């Protein structure tokens, strides 16, 4: 209700229809119309998805200006705010340690 208040007789927006389909096809695994503890855990921490790898790829993609799949010190410094806000760098803490690869 915070995002969409269904008014009587009014059509649902496409995004609501898409979310309903996502829920029924992928979230409600036992098809009981609601999410239980196991379904929520699977949604938040899927077994087939590596969050750290996805975040690392995102950082490289967004910061690698010359698209050589390697980050230079300048590329990291030019995008420091992205790295400081990233879980992959432990919210910037890892950037203060000495790294040979940097």
């Amino acid at each position: 209700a915070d995002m969409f208040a269904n008014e009587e007789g009014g059509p649902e927006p496409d995004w609501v229809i898409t979310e309903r389909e996502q829920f029924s096809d992928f979230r409600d695994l036992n098809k009981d119309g609601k999410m239980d503890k196991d379904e929520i855990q699977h949604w938040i921490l899927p077994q087939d998805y590596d969050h750290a790898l996805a975040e690392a790829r995102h950082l490289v993609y967004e910061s690698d200006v010359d698209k050589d799949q390697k980050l230079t010190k300048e590329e990291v410094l030019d995008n420091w705010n992205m790295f400081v806000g990233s879980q992959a760098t432990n919210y910037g803490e890892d950037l203060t340690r000495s790294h040979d690869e940097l």
Side-chain angles (χ1 to χ4, degrees), residues 30-44:
N30 63 7
K31 306 300 181 199
D32 67 352
K34 57 188 175 194
M35 290 180 69
D36 60 26
K37 182 180 175 183
D38 291 336
E39 290 166 331
I40 293 170
Q41 183 176 1
H42 183 266
W43 175 40
I44 294 173

Side-chain angles (χ1 to χ4, degrees), residues 52-65:
L53 181 60
E55 179 66 8
R57 285 181 176 160
H58 168 71
L59 290 172
V60 171
Y61 177 80
E62 293 295 329
S63 302
D64 186 19
V65 176

Side-chain angles (χ1 to χ4, degrees), residues 13-33:
D14 289 341
W15 70 267
V16 173
I17 295 168
T18 300
E19 287 301 317
R20 286 188 193 283
E21 290 170 357
Q22 287 289 318
F23 174 79
S24 63
D25 293 346
F26 302 107
R27 304 288 180 242
D28 186 17
L29 300 174
N30 63 7
K31 306 300 181 199
D32 67 352

